[in-house]
Amino acid sequence: MIPPFSAKSNAFTEYVPARNLIAGEWCDPKTSKETQEVLNPRWGKAMSKVPMSGKDDVEAAVQGAKKVMKEWAAWPVRERAQVLYRVRELMVQNLDELSWLVSHENGKTFAESKAEVEKGIECLEYGCSLPNLASGNQLEVSRGVACEVVYEPLGIVAGVVPFNFPNMVPLWMLPQALVGGNCFILKPSERVPLSAMRLAELFHEAGLPKGVLSLVQGGKDVVEGLCDHPDIKALGFVGSTKVAKAVYGRASMNGKRALCLGGAKNHLIVVPDADPALTAENVVASFAGCAGQRCMAASVMLAVGDVDPIIEQIRARAAKLVAGQELGPVTTAAAQKRIVGYIDDAEKRGAKVLVDGRKAQGDAGGFWVGPTILDNVTLDMPASKEEIFGPVLSIVRVPNLEKAIEIENNNPYGNASSVYTTSGDIAQRVMREVEAGMCGVNVGVPVPREPFGFGGWNDSCFGAGNITGWDGYRFWTRQRKITSKWAVQKDATWMS
Ligand code: NAD
């Protein structure tokens, strides 16, 4: 049993060591003795440690799943969904505890952590609704002959997730995959292995049979083991583009179904007719929320023409955010160094630092970067084109909308793009022309809420379709097509 996390404030709190969950039992890796510290980024101190498992642990998880997969697949879809209803209730009952755990291992503020857990609950609710959606189709295609489609499990499937949403991203995958009748092996991020453990505990408390959900903690070795294992039929991945691309290639080469979501560089286009207050509020929330560690965070603002009064409101709002209160730390000391490096570099190349977060200081020892706004960023600066993954907004000045759309479309990513305007014409044009899978009109973080599917384009997504919504169900299931005839036909056709 994993005990509930006891913290009720930001005060540093230790938790149990992370472990694997194999065949429904908590255990340590079979052979690997390597461990890593799980740091609380607010304090820069280890609150736990995580084992770096090996391929033999992937094998053990597969063997554990094999024992139960047939029985689980035989549960009617409605009964499988009942487990999700109960997980939802448990998550609601334990909302504060789950949120404090996210806040401590990831660093987000409590409010941001709670919002993440609530979004995870929304994903579960979509899974609960699947028995009403996944009814398949049947048609009498010729006299006495019926064709039918039914959704079948793939068998054993796996998911690999990043550090920035320890509850929500696993819950992008688990509801559809489990209601679809699969056994699931989850590889949490080695930086936030603890929330996944509490989540798995709640799934068991809700009645999920042992072995249906396994956790294998670790890093690259585990991921490669999942990509290579012949009995794992599909792999969902969310993380940086470099790894997403490599994992997609490896899993696909091994004959697996793969959907790998990568990194992002999201652009906001702000035109002079935009509502200043709405735009400022939204842009700041987008680039600084979760300390900029969201794949949907805006990181480049394309300022079309004279939007200086709006920029001034953005500056004033961002300057008021206090690190440690409205803004959490970034994930590691290395991330802090990388982000500050981008700011230093842009300044050296001539960008103007309107708000400077380099000296921000929250609680002692933590990895702090405050909100930062760089103005007059040019396209040759790394800050304009690389994913910084911190609370930094780069403002690029452009003369007109054509140029803004051209810059947006020249960036290789395609996760999100937004426009701020009060003109329907401009909004429609941007929505038609930008190369991004998730677009916003006056919305800085245009995450499609359930039942709409989440997924980007171009270098932000390798594989077909979205990871959530109906696409998710289709990804984790296969369609059986059944053609039936029960009587000899009198009017014979080629089907007879
Ligand atoms: P990451 O790519 O470093 O790690 C993601 C997962 O891959 C982790 O579980 C990690 O253990 C594993 N991994 C790391 N290196 C590996 C390697 N060489 N081979 C195999 N597996 C490896 O990403 P992160 O730092 O945890 O998360 C931040 C990134 O995730 C950002 O780029 C962000 O944009 C992206 N992200 C994307 C989405 C999306 O929906 N597109 C959502 C959340 C985060």
Side-chain angles (χ1 to χ4, degrees):
M1 276 283 286
I2 302 300
F5 185 55
S6 63
K8 299 211 168 15
S9 74
N10 288 320
F12 180 76
T13 308
E14 284 188 23
Y15 194 43
V16 293
R19 301 185 86 191
N20 292 340
L21 179 66
I22 308 281
E25 305 298 335
W26 295 108
C27 58
D28 295 322
K30 282 172 107 61
T31 49
S32 169
K33 296 277 173 270
E34 194 191 335
T35 58
Q36 266 187 29
E37 290 185 324
V38 178
L39 296 177
N40 174 327
R42 177 175 282 269
W43 299 99
K45 277 202 293 190
M47 61 184 283
S48 173
K49 60 182 181 167
V50 58
M52 302 304 283
S53 310
K55 292 188 175 153
D56 47 354
D57 300 302
V58 172
E59 180 62 37
V62 169
Q63 293 311 323
K66 273 189 177 172
K67 288 194 189 121
V68 71
M69 62 189 273
K70 280 210 176 105
E71 186 202 323
W72 175 241
W75 281 37
V77 69
R78 224 168 257 291
E79 286 178 29
R80 293 196 298 251
Q82 285 300 325
V83 176
L84 264 57
Y85 276 101
R86 291 191 289 271
V87 176
R88 182 201 178 275
E89 285 316 297
L90 289 169
M91 286 188 74
V92 170
Q93 280 165 25
N94 296 292
L95 183 59
D96 278 7
E97 183 226 330
L98 296 171
S99 307
W100 278 121
L101 183 52
V102 171
S103 182
H104 279 244
E105 70 170 346
N106 169 281
K108 284 183 227 210
T109 64
F110 180 72
E112 290 167 344
S113 302
K114 202 165 174 181
E116 157 176 4
V117 180
E118 283 170 342
K119 183 68 180 65
I121 289 172
E122 194 171 301
C123 297
L124 272 170
E125 287 166 356
Y126 183 77
C128 293
S129 73
L130 278 168
N132 301 317
L133 301 172
S135 57
N137 283 315
Q138 199 204 34
L139 186 72
E140 187 177 38
V141 288
S142 116
R143 191 159 298 182
V145 179
C147 275
E148 184 188 355
V149 172
V150 288
Y151 296 94
E152 300 270 3
L154 293 167
I156 303 171
V157 299
V160 176
V161 292
F163 81 88
N164 62 335
F165 283 95
N167 271 281
M168 182 189 77
V169 174
L171 288 170
W172 281 355
M173 304 181 192
L174 288 170
Q176 283 89 330
L178 294 178
V179 173
N182 300 286
C183 289
F184 199 99
I185 303 174
L186 178 67
K187 208 273 318 152
S189 163
E190 60 274 43
R191 272 179 258 162
V192 293
L194 306 169
S195 292
M197 289 171 65
R198 273 302 283 147
L199 199 57
E201 191 78 21
L202 296 186
F203 269 90
H204 281 160
E205 214 176 312
L208 190 75
K210 287 183 172 187
V212 173
L213 172 61
S214 314
L215 300 188
V216 185
Q217 310 280 5
K220 187 177 179 196
D221 284 353
V222 176
V223 178
E224 292 183 352
L226 295 170
C227 288
D228 295 347
H229 201 294
D231 294 332
I232 296 175
K233 299 300 176 193
L235 185 83
F237 174 94
V238 180
S240 59
T241 287
K242 191 171 152 224
V243 183
K245 205 170 180 175
V247 167
Y248 181 74
R250 191 160 178 152
S252 308
M253 280 293 286
N254 284 315
K256 283 184 207 341
R257 198 178 276 195
L259 181 57
C260 300
L261 274 57
K265 188 77 179 167
N266 304 315
H267 292 66
L268 302 171
I269 299 176
V270 178
V271 302
D273 75 7
D275 179 299
L278 180 149
T279 305
E281 192 251 339
N282 242 261
V283 171
V284 174
S286 179
F287 91 83
C290 296
Q293 299 177 124
R294 285 189 291 197
C295 67
M296 295 294 280
S299 52
V300 177
M301 173 174 149
L302 297 165
V304 181
D306 179 10
V307 292
D308 283 359
I310 301 177
I311 291 176
E312 172 47 29
Q313 286 205 28
I314 294 172
R315 188 205 61 74
R317 246 192 129 85
K320 280 198 210 131
L321 295 179
V322 179
Q325 293 176 22
E326 294 99 338
L327 196 81
V330 298
T331 176
T332 55
Q336 181 190 34
K337 193 166 166 221
R338 182 193 70 232
I339 297 162
V340 169
Y342 276 107
I343 304 169
D344 290 344
D345 174 80
E347 188 179 38
K348 235 182 265 151
R349 292 169 192 255
K352 188 170 166 196
V353 185
L354 294 186
V355 180
D356 192 346
R358 284 173 288 191
K359 299 258 169 344
Q361 189 58 55
D363 292 304
F367 313 127
W368 301 98
V369 183
T372 300
I373 300 180
L374 302 169
D375 197 2
N376 296 321
V377 172
T378 51
L379 298 180
D380 55 328
M381 297 181 193
S384 77
K385 48 193 174 193
E386 293 171 16
E387 184 177 37
I388 299 176
F389 223 54
V392 181
L393 181 71
S394 301
I395 301 178
V396 177
R397 304 273 181 162
V398 290
N400 52 43
L401 193 60
E402 287 68 34
K403 191 68 191 166
I405 294 173
E406 183 192 315
I407 292 172
E408 202 304 321
N409 290 352
N410 279 342
N411 103 84
Y413 298 102
N415 226 33
S417 180
S418 294
V419 62
Y420 286 88
T421 181
T422 47
S423 152
D425 183 42
I426 291 176
Q428 274 195 337
R429 178 162 172 212
V430 174
M431 291 305 97
R432 264 198 311 267
E433 295 185 21
V434 283
E435 279 287 321
M438 293 172 280
C439 298
V441 177
N442 299 318
V443 174
V445 184
V447 174
R449 300 275 301 260
E450 317 314 304
F452 297 97
F454 185 103
W457 292 356
N458 304 332
D459 280 1
S460 295
C461 186
F462 303 91
N466 300 303
I467 195 127
T468 64
W470 182 241
D471 275 9
Y473 191 68
R474 288 190 54 137
F475 177 74
W476 298 111
T477 55
R478 52 188 170 169
Q479 293 174 27
R480 189 192 297 283
K481 286 74 63 181
I482 305 168
T483 307
S484 322
K485 181 170 70 174
W486 293 102
V488 177
Q489 282 172 253
K490 295 201 175 62
D491 55 341
T493 68
W494 63 271
M495 280 295 287
S496 307

